[in-house]
Amino acid sequence: MEKYLTPEQVAEIFGVKTRTVWDWIRKKKLGAIKSGRLYHISLEQLKEFQEARKTK
């Protein structure tokens, strides 16, 4: 089974505010799964988000 993170956990990983993670989700920069009133981000979606923002 795939592991999921909350927006709060993602914010802690990146060192940003939770509001910033919500903004990424709203702008469809970071994929999330909505379950009821909660959002979850899979590790695969987080990895894709990181790869898309790497400098070359």
Coordinates of all heavy atoms in Angstrom, one line a residue:
M1 N 0.8 -1.2 0.0 CA 0.0 0.0 0.0 C 0.9 1.3 0.0 O 1.9 1.3 0.7 CB -0.9 0.0 1.2 CG -1.8 1.1 1.3 SD -3.3 0.7 2.3 CE -4.5 1.7 1.5
E2 N 0.4 2.2 -0.7 CA 1.2 3.5 -0.9 C 1.1 4.4 0.4 O 0.1 4.4 1.0 CB 0.7 4.2 -2.1 CG 1.7 5.3 -2.6 CD 1.3 5.8 -3.9 OE1 0.3 5.4 -4.5 OE2 2.0 6.7 -4.4
K3 N 2.2 5.0 0.7 CA 2.2 5.9 1.8 C 1.8 7.3 1.4 O 2.1 7.8 0.3 CB 3.6 6.0 2.4 CG 3.8 7.0 3.5 CD 4.6 6.5 4.6 CE 4.9 7.6 5.6 NZ 4.1 7.7 6.7
Y4 N 1.0 8.0 2.3 CA 0.5 9.3 2.0 C 0.9 10.3 3.1 O 1.1 9.9 4.3 CB -1.1 9.3 1.9 CG -1.6 8.5 0.7 CD1 -1.9 7.2 0.8 CD2 -1.7 9.2 -0.5 CE1 -2.3 6.5 -0.3 CE2 -2.1 8.5 -1.6 CZ -2.5 7.2 -1.5 OH -2.9 6.5 -2.6
L5 N 1.1 11.5 2.7 CA 1.4 12.6 3.7 C 0.3 13.6 3.7 O -0.4 13.8 2.7 CB 2.7 13.2 3.2 CG 4.0 12.3 3.1 CD1 5.1 13.1 2.5 CD2 4.4 11.8 4.4
T6 N 0.2 14.3 4.8 CA -0.7 15.4 4.9 C 0.0 16.7 4.4 O 1.2 16.7 4.3 CB -1.1 15.6 6.4 OG1 0.0 16.0 7.1 CG2 -1.7 14.4 7.0
P7 N -0.8 17.7 4.1 CA -0.2 19.0 3.7 C 0.7 19.5 4.8 O 1.8 20.1 4.4 CB -1.4 19.9 3.4 CG -2.5 18.9 3.0 CD -2.2 17.7 3.9
E8 N 0.4 19.3 6.0 CA 1.3 19.8 7.1 C 2.6 19.1 7.1 O 3.7 19.7 7.3 CB 0.6 19.6 8.4 CG -0.7 20.4 8.7 CD -1.9 19.9 8.0 OE1 -1.9 18.8 7.4 OE2 -2.9 20.7 7.9
Q9 N 2.6 17.8 6.8 CA 3.9 17.0 6.7 C 4.7 17.5 5.5 O 5.9 17.6 5.7 CB 3.6 15.5 6.6 CG 3.0 15.0 7.9 CD 2.5 13.5 7.7 OE1 1.9 13.2 6.7 NE2 2.8 12.7 8.7
V10 N 4.1 17.7 4.4 CA 4.8 18.2 3.2 C 5.4 19.6 3.5 O 6.6 19.9 3.1 CB 3.9 18.3 2.0 CG1 4.5 18.9 0.8 CG2 3.4 16.9 1.6
A11 N 4.7 20.5 4.2 CA 5.2 21.8 4.5 C 6.4 21.7 5.4 O 7.4 22.4 5.2 CB 4.1 22.6 5.3
E12 N 6.4 20.7 6.3 CA 7.6 20.5 7.2 C 8.8 20.0 6.4 O 9.9 20.5 6.7 CB 7.2 19.5 8.3 CG 8.2 19.4 9.4 CD 7.8 18.5 10.5 OE1 6.6 18.7 11.0 OE2 8.6 17.7 11.0
I13 N 8.5 19.1 5.5 CA 9.6 18.6 4.7 C 10.3 19.7 3.9 O 11.5 19.8 3.8 CB 9.1 17.5 3.7 CG1 8.7 16.2 4.5 CG2 10.1 17.1 2.6 CD1 8.0 15.2 3.7
F14 N 9.5 20.6 3.3 CA 10.0 21.6 2.4 C 10.4 22.9 3.2 O 11.0 23.8 2.6 CB 9.1 22.0 1.3 CG 9.0 20.9 0.2 CD1 8.0 20.1 0.1 CD2 10.1 20.8 -0.7 CE1 7.9 19.1 -0.9 CE2 10.0 19.9 -1.7 CZ 9.0 19.0 -1.8
G15 N 10.0 23.0 4.5 CA 10.4 24.2 5.2 C 9.6 25.4 4.8 O 10.1 26.5 4.8
V16 N 8.3 25.1 4.5 CA 7.4 26.2 4.1 C 6.2 26.2 5.0 O 6.0 25.2 5.7 CB 7.0 26.1 2.6 CG1 8.2 26.3 1.7 CG2 6.2 24.8 2.3
K17 N 5.3 27.2 4.9 CA 4.1 27.2 5.6 C 3.1 26.3 4.9 O 3.1 26.1 3.7 CB 3.5 28.6 5.7 CG 4.4 29.5 6.5 CD 3.8 30.8 6.7 CE 4.7 31.7 7.6 NZ 4.1 32.8 8.1
T18 N 2.1 25.8 5.7 CA 1.1 24.9 5.2 C 0.3 25.6 4.1 O -0.2 25.0 3.2 CB 0.1 24.4 6.4 OG1 0.9 23.8 7.4 CG2 -0.9 23.4 5.9
R19 N 0.1 26.9 4.3 CA -0.6 27.7 3.3 C 0.0 27.6 1.9 O -0.7 27.6 0.9 CB -0.6 29.2 3.8 CG -1.4 30.1 2.9 CD -1.3 31.5 3.3 NE -2.0 31.6 4.6 CZ -2.1 32.7 5.4 NH1 -1.6 33.8 4.9 NH2 -2.7 32.7 6.5
T20 N 1.3 27.5 1.9 CA 2.1 27.4 0.6 C 1.7 26.1 0.0 O 1.5 26.0 -1.2 CB 3.6 27.5 0.9 OG1 3.9 28.8 1.5 CG2 4.3 27.4 -0.5
V21 N 1.7 25.0 0.7 CA 1.3 23.7 0.2 C -0.1 23.7 -0.3 O -0.4 23.2 -1.4 CB 1.5 22.6 1.3 CG1 1.1 21.2 0.7 CG2 3.0 22.5 1.7
W22 N -1.0 24.3 0.4 CA -2.4 24.5 -0.1 C -2.4 25.2 -1.4 O -3.2 24.9 -2.3 CB -3.3 25.2 0.9 CG -3.6 24.3 2.1 CD1 -3.2 24.4 3.4 CD2 -4.4 23.1 2.1 NE1 -3.7 23.4 4.2 CE2 -4.5 22.6 3.4 CE3 -5.2 22.5 1.1 CZ2 -5.2 21.5 3.7 CZ3 -5.9 21.3 1.4 CH2 -5.9 20.8 2.7
D23 N -1.6 26.2 -1.5 CA -1.5 27.0 -2.8 C -1.0 26.2 -3.9 O -1.6 26.2 -5.0 CB -0.6 28.2 -2.6 CG -0.7 29.2 -3.7 OD1 -1.8 29.6 -4.1 OD2 0.4 29.7 -4.2
W24 N 0.0 25.3 -3.7 CA 0.5 24.4 -4.7 C -0.6 23.5 -5.2 O -0.7 23.2 -6.4 CB 1.7 23.6 -4.2 CG 2.9 24.4 -3.9 CD1 3.2 25.6 -4.4 CD2 4.0 24.0 -3.1 NE1 4.5 26.0 -3.9 CE2 5.0 25.0 -3.1 CE3 4.2 22.9 -2.3 CZ2 6.1 25.0 -2.4 CZ3 5.4 22.8 -1.6 CH2 6.4 23.9 -1.6
I25 N -1.4 23.0 -4.2 CA -2.5 22.0 -4.5 C -3.6 22.8 -5.4 O -4.0 22.2 -6.4 CB -3.1 21.4 -3.3 CG1 -2.0 20.5 -2.6 CG2 -4.4 20.6 -3.6 CD1 -2.4 20.0 -1.2
R26 N -4.0 23.9 -4.9 CA -5.0 24.7 -5.6 C -4.6 25.1 -7.1 O -5.4 25.0 -8.0 CB -5.3 26.0 -4.9 CG -6.4 25.8 -3.9 CD -6.9 27.1 -3.3 NE -6.8 27.0 -1.8 CZ -5.9 27.5 -1.0 NH1 -4.9 28.2 -1.5 NH2 -6.0 27.2 0.3
K27 N -3.3 25.4 -7.2 CA -2.8 25.7 -8.6 C -2.4 24.5 -9.4 O -1.8 24.7 -10.5 CB -1.6 26.7 -8.4 CG -2.0 28.0 -7.9 CD -0.8 29.0 -7.8 CE -1.3 30.3 -7.3 NZ -0.1 31.2 -7.1
K28 N -2.7 23.3 -8.8 CA -2.4 22.0 -9.5 C -0.9 21.8 -9.8 O -0.5 21.1 -10.8 CB -3.2 21.9 -10.7 CG -4.7 22.0 -10.5 CD -5.6 21.3 -11.4 CE -7.0 21.6 -11.2 NZ -7.6 21.1 -10.0
K29 N -0.1 22.4 -9.0 CA 1.4 22.2 -9.1 C 1.7 20.9 -8.4 O 2.7 20.2 -8.7 CB 2.2 23.3 -8.5 CG 2.0 24.6 -9.3 CD 2.8 25.7 -8.6 CE 2.7 27.0 -9.4 NZ 3.5 28.1 -8.7
L30 N 1.0 20.6 -7.3 CA 1.2 19.4 -6.5 C -0.1 18.6 -6.5 O -1.2 19.1 -6.1 CB 1.6 19.8 -5.1 CG 1.8 18.7 -4.1 CD1 2.9 17.7 -4.5 CD2 2.1 19.2 -2.7
G31 N 0.0 17.4 -6.9 CA -1.2 16.5 -6.9 C -1.6 16.1 -5.5 O -0.7 15.8 -4.7
A32 N -2.9 16.0 -5.2 CA -3.4 15.5 -3.9 C -4.7 14.8 -4.1 O -5.4 15.0 -5.1 CB -3.6 16.7 -3.0
I33 N -4.9 13.9 -3.2 CA -6.1 13.1 -3.2 C -7.0 13.6 -2.1 O -6.6 13.7 -0.9 CB -5.8 11.6 -3.0 CG1 -5.0 11.1 -4.1 CG2 -7.1 10.8 -2.8 CD1 -4.4 9.7 -3.9
K34 N -8.3 13.9 -2.4 CA -9.2 14.4 -1.4 C -10.0 13.2 -0.9 O -10.6 12.4 -1.6 CB -10.2 15.4 -2.0 CG -11.1 16.1 -1.0 CD -11.9 17.2 -1.6 CE -12.8 17.8 -0.5 NZ -13.7 18.8 -1.1
S35 N -10.0 13.1 0.4 CA -10.8 12.0 1.1 C -11.6 12.7 2.2 O -11.2 13.1 3.2 CB -9.8 11.1 1.8 OG -10.5 10.1 2.5
G36 N -12.9 12.9 1.8 CA -13.8 13.6 2.7 C -13.4 15.1 2.7 O -13.3 15.7 1.7
R37 N -13.0 15.6 3.9 CA -12.5 17.0 4.0 C -11.0 17.1 4.0 O -10.4 18.2 4.2 CB -13.1 17.6 5.2 CG -14.6 17.7 5.2 CD -15.2 18.3 6.4 NE -14.8 19.7 6.6 CZ -14.8 20.3 7.7 NH1 -15.3 19.7 8.8 NH2 -14.4 21.6 7.8
L38 N -10.3 15.9 4.0 CA -8.9 15.9 4.1 C -8.2 15.7 2.8 O -8.8 15.0 1.9 CB -8.5 14.8 5.1 CG -9.1 14.8 6.5 CD1 -8.7 13.6 7.2 CD2 -8.6 16.0 7.2
Y39 N -7.0 16.2 2.6 CA -6.2 16.0 1.5 C -5.0 15.2 1.8 O -4.4 15.3 2.9 CB -5.7 17.3 0.9 CG -6.8 18.0 0.1 CD1 -7.7 18.8 0.7 CD2 -6.9 17.9 -1.3 CE1 -8.7 19.5 0.0 CE2 -7.9 18.5 -2.0 CZ -8.8 19.3 -1.3 OH -9.8 19.9 -2.1
H40 N -4.6 14.3 0.9 CA -3.4 13.5 1.1 C -2.5 13.5 -0.1 O -3.0 13.5 -1.2 CB -3.8 12.0 1.4 CG -4.7 11.9 2.6 ND1 -4.2 11.9 3.9 CD2 -6.0 11.7 2.7 CE1 -5.2 11.7 4.7 NE2 -6.3 11.6 4.0
I41 N -1.2 13.5 0.1 CA -0.3 13.6 -1.0 C 0.5 12.3 -1.0 O 1.1 12.0 0.0 CB 0.7 14.8 -0.9 CG1 -0.1 16.1 -1.0 CG2 1.7 14.8 -2.0 CD1 -0.3 16.8 0.3
S42 N 0.5 11.6 -2.1 CA 1.3 10.3 -2.2 C 2.8 10.6 -2.3 O 3.2 11.7 -2.8 CB 0.8 9.4 -3.3 OG 1.2 10.0 -4.5
L43 N 3.6 9.7 -1.9 CA 5.1 9.9 -2.1 C 5.4 10.0 -3.6 O 6.3 10.7 -3.9 CB 5.8 8.7 -1.4 CG 5.7 8.7 0.1 CD1 6.5 7.5 0.6 CD2 6.2 9.9 0.7
E44 N 4.7 9.3 -4.4 CA 4.9 9.4 -5.9 C 4.6 10.8 -6.4 O 5.4 11.4 -7.2 CB 4.1 8.4 -6.6 CG 4.3 8.3 -8.1 CD 5.7 7.9 -8.5 OE1 6.3 7.1 -7.8 OE2 6.2 8.4 -9.5
Q45 N 3.5 11.4 -5.9 CA 3.2 12.8 -6.4 C 4.2 13.7 -5.8 O 4.6 14.7 -6.5 CB 1.8 13.1 -5.8 CG 0.7 12.4 -6.5 CD -0.6 12.6 -5.8 OE1 -0.7 12.6 -4.6 NE2 -1.7 12.6 -6.6
L46 N 4.7 13.5 -4.6 CA 5.7 14.4 -4.1 C 7.0 14.3 -4.9 O 7.7 15.3 -5.1 CB 6.0 14.0 -2.6 CG 6.8 15.0 -1.8 CD1 6.1 16.4 -1.7 CD2 6.9 14.5 -0.4
K47 N 7.4 13.1 -5.3 CA 8.6 12.9 -6.1 C 8.5 13.6 -7.4 O 9.4 14.2 -7.9 CB 8.8 11.4 -6.3 CG 10.1 11.1 -6.9 CD 10.3 9.6 -7.0 CE 11.6 9.3 -7.7 NZ 11.9 7.8 -7.8
E48 N 7.3 13.5 -8.1 CA 7.1 14.1 -9.4 C 7.2 15.7 -9.2 O 7.7 16.3 -10.1 CB 5.7 13.8 -9.9 CG 5.6 12.4 -10.4 CD 4.2 12.0 -10.8 OE1 3.4 12.9 -11.0 OE2 4.0 10.8 -11.0
F49 N 6.6 16.2 -8.1 CA 6.7 17.6 -7.8 C 8.2 18.1 -7.7 O 8.6 19.1 -8.3 CB 5.9 17.9 -6.5 CG 6.0 19.3 -6.1 CD1 5.2 20.3 -6.7 CD2 6.8 19.7 -5.0 CE1 5.2 21.6 -6.3 CE2 6.8 21.0 -4.6 CZ 6.0 22.0 -5.2
Q50 N 9.0 17.3 -7.0 CA 10.4 17.6 -6.8 C 11.1 17.6 -8.1 O 11.9 18.4 -8.4 CB 11.0 16.7 -5.8 CG 10.6 16.9 -4.4 CD 11.2 15.9 -3.5 OE1 11.2 14.7 -3.7 NE2 11.8 16.4 -2.4
E51 N 10.9 16.5 -8.9 CA 11.6 16.4 -10.2 C 11.2 17.5 -11.1 O 12.1 18.0 -11.9 CB 11.2 15.0 -10.8 CG 11.8 13.8 -10.1 CD 13.3 13.8 -10.2 OE1 13.9 14.1 -11.2 OE2 13.9 13.4 -9.1
A52 N 10.0 18.0 -11.1 CA 9.6 19.0 -12.1 C 10.2 20.4 -11.7 O 10.3 21.3 -12.5 CB 8.1 19.2 -12.0
R53 N 10.7 20.5 -10.5 CA 11.3 21.8 -10.1 C 12.8 21.8 -9.9 O 13.4 22.7 -9.5 CB 10.7 22.2 -8.7 CG 9.4 22.9 -9.0 CD 8.3 22.5 -8.0 NE 7.0 23.1 -8.5 CZ 6.2 22.5 -9.3 NH1 6.6 21.4 -9.9 NH2 5.1 23.0 -9.7
K54 N 13.4 20.7 -10.4 CA 14.9 20.6 -10.3 C 15.5 21.5 -11.4 O 15.0 21.6 -12.5 CB 15.4 19.2 -10.7 CG 15.5 18.3 -9.5 CD 16.1 17.0 -9.9 CE 16.3 16.1 -8.7 NZ 16.9 14.8 -9.1
T55 N 16.6 22.1 -11.0 CA 17.3 23.0 -11.9 C 18.3 22.0 -12.7 O 18.7 21.0 -12.2 CB 18.1 24.1 -11.3 OG1 19.0 23.5 -10.3 CG2 17.2 25.0 -10.6
K56 N 18.6 22.4 -13.9 CA 19.4 21.6 -14.8 C 20.7 22.2 -15.0 O 20.9 23.3 -15.0 CB 18.7 21.2 -16.0 CG 17.4 20.7 -15.7 CD 16.9 19.7 -16.8 CE 15.6 19.2 -16.3 NZ 15.1 18.1 -16.8

